[in-house]
Amino acid sequence: MNQPVPESSDDLEKSENKGLSFALDFGPLLVFFLVNWFTPEPKLLKIMAATSAFMVAMIVAIIISYVKLGKISPMLWVSGGLVTFFGAATLWFQDETFIQIKPTIVYMIFATVLIFGMWTGRSLLKALLGTAYPGLSDEGYRKLTISWTMFFVAAAILNELVWRNQSWDFWVGFKLWGMLPLTFAFAIANVPMLMRHGLDLGQEEDAADQSDKQSDSGK
């Protein structure tokens, strides 16, 4: 009887790297939320503490990404640079407006990059998001690029509406519990379209690999 074959070291390493990459991308945002949550009033103290922690967490994330993964994703580079710049402005001027407009600028930068890519006939989505879409056709990339461009523009507008009309605490919570789920939901909503345009989620390849491993183990 064939015995279950454990995951290879390469599979485990890929899984660990994906988990670490996710933690590095969104960990600093969680730190930002938690420090703001546990820092007592007055509001200025919360802003200064949370912003400082956010800046430190982003710098640590960039260092860990370079040391552990050997690379720094474009999204992490852009976010880290802008968090440092606008965070420093927030601390210097003691004005939360600087850190609050940072997401708007990030989203518009991403949208502009994608628009530039479409205009020049190049797909810059993979470079921007650091995500591979094996088997995806050119038409699939074009549609996905359009979708993400619209999402980034809508996210920039939404961030402006929230920070201009809601409290500081509400905006901080919205960044973690609002925009993060919206981003995941949007990515998942695109999957059926991507599959219609050739996206290979790896089921067939994984099944074949698993079958080969089991056959080898039974010899």
Side-chain angles (χ1 to χ4, degrees):
M1 182 175 66
N2 290 335
Q3 299 294 324
V5 178
E7 290 186 277
S8 68
S9 58
D10 288 342
D11 292 335
L12 289 174
E13 183 177 357
K14 288 180 180 179
S15 178
E16 291 174 356
N17 286 346
K18 287 181 179 179
L20 178 58
S21 180
F22 176 84
L24 294 176
D25 284 336
F26 300 106
L29 185 57
L30 180 61
V31 170
F32 183 53
F33 173 81
L34 290 175
V35 172
N36 182 75
W37 179 268
F38 287 108
T39 301
E41 296 286 353
K43 175 185 172 182
L44 182 60
L45 178 61
K46 293 166 70 70
I47 293 170
M48 296 296 105
T51 300
S52 299
F54 198 15
M55 294 168 63
V56 172
M58 287 299 305
I59 294 173
V60 170
I62 290 173
I63 294 173
I64 293 177
S65 180
Y66 181 77
V67 173
K68 294 293 186 179
L69 302 179
K71 62 180 181 180
I72 302 171
S73 70
M75 184 172 289
L76 188 58
W77 263 126
V78 173
S79 296
L82 290 179
V83 164
T84 302
F85 177 80
F86 286 101
T90 296
L91 298 178
W92 180 264
F93 294 103
Q94 297 187 2
D95 184 349
E96 69 271 25
T97 302
F98 293 100
I99 198 67
Q100 288 180 308
I101 64 173
K102 189 276 299 181
T104 300
I105 295 175
V106 169
Y107 294 137
M108 291 309 300
I109 287 176
F110 291 159
T112 301
V113 169
L114 294 183
I115 292 172
F116 176 77
M118 288 189 291
W119 182 57
T120 57
R122 292 179 293 173
S123 177
L124 301 178
L125 189 66
K126 181 178 178 180
L128 179 62
L129 299 179
T131 304
Y133 296 95
L136 188 62
S137 66
D138 291 340
E139 179 65 12
Y141 267 113
R142 187 185 71 83
K143 289 185 176 181
L144 185 62
T145 298
I146 293 173
S147 294
W148 275 107
T149 299
M150 292 189 296
F151 175 83
F152 287 134
V153 172
I157 295 172
L158 185 56
N159 182 69
E160 287 297 299
L161 291 174
V162 171
W163 83 259
R164 291 177 184 276
N165 295 282
Q166 301 295 331
S167 68
W168 163 262
D169 286 335
F170 183 94
W171 175 79
V172 172
F174 173 77
K175 281 176 59 65
L176 182 63
W177 306 116
M179 282 309 305
L180 195 55
L182 283 175
T183 303
F184 286 144
F186 180 81
I188 293 172
N190 276 285
V191 171
M193 180 275 291
L194 298 178
M195 294 183 69
R196 290 195 300 270
H197 289 279
L199 177 65
D200 179 11
L201 296 180
Q203 295 96 332
E204 294 182 1
E205 182 179 349
D206 289 344
D209 290 343
Q210 186 70 9
S211 176
D212 291 340
K213 290 175 183 178
Q214 290 179 344
S215 296
D216 291 339
S217 69
K219 292 179 181 179

